[in-house]
Each structure stands twice: as C-alpha cells, then as structure tokens.
Amino acid sequence: GGSVFLAWDKQLERDVVIKKILDTRSSSAISRFQREAKITANLIHPGIVSVHELRIEPDSGCPFYAMQK
C-alpha cells in the first residue's frame, strides 16, 4: 500500500500527485512498489494517469513516484 497526496513541482511549476510506499521495512514491498511504478509508466490509456518520475527520498530512502494530476 501507499499514501497519495497532491504536491507542487517547483521545477516545472505544476501540480502533481505523489505516491509513497507505507512499508519501507520490507524489501519485497519496495520491489513491488517500484515494479508498479515502472509498469504504470509504460501504460498509455486515457483512463490511466502518466507517471512522471520514480525516485528515492535521500533522507529516508523511501521510494515515491510522481504522476500527472
């Protein structure tokens, strides 16, 4: 699972949606989360939001991805 929230992309000056993983202690959960982001990023359909980037927070090591609003 993950948490989803609205954020502001300072570089591109636009709203984005951020999804962060909740269980950062499980390597299998992190792998599933990253796989979900990669699969979603390759889907092109009007009903599926685009994934802009997949990153890891430098301080916490928590993966997250940014999507179109």
Side-chain angles (χ1 to χ4, degrees), residues 7-63:
W8 179 251
D9 181 335
K10 292 178 188 177
Q11 281 188 308
L12 299 175
E13 299 180 351
R14 64 181 176 182
D15 287 326
V16 293
V17 175
I18 301 290
K19 183 171 183 181
K20 294 172 90 172
I21 189 169
L22 295 176
D23 184 6
T24 58
R25 296 171 296 174
S26 167
S27 61
S28 63
I30 291 171
S31 293
R32 281 193 309 274
F33 183 83
Q34 291 173 323
R35 188 170 51 251
E36 171 188 316
K38 290 174 184 176
I39 290 169
T40 305
N42 286 296
L43 297 176
I44 300 170
H45 186 277
I48 299 173
V49 297
S50 299
V51 173
H52 296 307
E53 68 177 324
L54 171 62
R55 299 194 54 185
I56 297 177
E57 290 181 338
D59 296 339
S60 67
C62 178

